[in-house]
Amino acid sequence: GARIMVVHTGSAAKISRETAMAYAADTVEKACALLAEKRTSVRMGLETMGKQNQLGTLDEVLRLCAIAPAILAPVVDFGHLNAREGGVLRTADERIFDAISSALGGEAAETLHCHFSQIEYTKMGEKRHLTFADETFGPFFGPLAEAIVSLGVSPTIICESAGTMAEDALRM
């Protein structure tokens, strides 16, 4: 009964980002061919990642999703984006939804599958997932809620708090 399976697209730790993206694109194309062959309705979700050496900026995910938009979907992890960019998600930022809509169409933004948690970060990006009790690192859910209401979108949000997923999901 799954609608989406979420995967990570790879790392650029010891190779250039361009080479890593080429490898990821090749792998994604092969996976899409297999999914198409199986005639499954399950989509493959490519997740944004929180560490600098991982593939998974929003732009990289959108570029890979453009390979087969009927099979691939972006999975935005707001905590990962905030961590990898040093804490940039402080206000109701609709640009993420706008970028998805521009790259893949309005439905991709309207029905976005996403993850949300607060994440401690360093200059290298994600360090560890936190709970909603944290008041330092963010991102905080209020601005995302404002963007959802303002845009009228209906994302699926998976809470990934450290040990308090159920409680923090209820708070959302």
Side-chain angles (χ1 to χ4, degrees):
R3 292 180 295 144
I4 190 165
M5 61 177 163
V6 179
V7 299
H8 300 169
T9 56
S11 172
K14 296 181 181 181
I15 57 177
S16 72
R17 287 196 91 75
E18 296 79 26
T19 300
M21 280 294 287
Y23 288 153
D26 182 59
T27 302
V28 164
E29 287 173 6
K30 290 174 183 171
C32 287
L34 289 171
L35 287 170
E37 182 182 301
K38 297 289 183 188
R39 300 184 203 275
T40 179
S41 62
V42 177
R43 298 182 79 191
M44 185 165 51
L46 308 181
E47 184 177 2
T48 58
M49 300 305 297
K51 295 181 181 173
Q52 296 291 325
N53 66 349
Q54 296 170 316
L55 293 183
T57 65
L58 181 60
D59 181 60
E60 288 167 343
V61 165
L62 295 176
R63 285 180 22 217
L64 290 170
C65 285
I67 291 170
I71 297 173
L72 301 169
V75 174
V76 173
D77 187 311
F78 287 91
H80 285 167
L81 289 181
N82 189 62
R84 113 177 268 132
E85 299 297 327
V88 297
L89 298 180
R90 295 282 179 198
T91 61
D93 191 347
E94 299 171 358
R95 290 176 294 175
I96 292 169
F97 291 95
D98 292 342
I100 294 166
S101 183
S102 293
L104 302 172
E107 185 178 347
E110 291 167 17
T111 61
L112 179 67
H113 182 94
C114 56
H115 297 169
F116 192 89
S117 63
Q118 294 173 210
I119 295 179
E120 181 180 352
Y121 55 86
T122 68
K123 66 179 180 169
M124 297 304 292
E126 176 184 1
K127 181 175 179 183
R128 67 185 171 113
H129 285 242
L130 303 168
T131 70
F132 279 20
D134 174 71
E135 296 181 7
T136 303
F137 287 96
F140 303 105
F141 185 70
L144 176 58
E146 290 175 26
I148 290 168
V149 170
S150 172
L151 294 168
V153 295
S154 300
T156 297
I157 305 172
I158 306 299
C159 181
E160 292 190 332
S161 293
T164 59
M165 289 181 277
E167 295 87 350
D168 289 351
L170 285 173
R171 287 180 64 191
M172 285 193 284

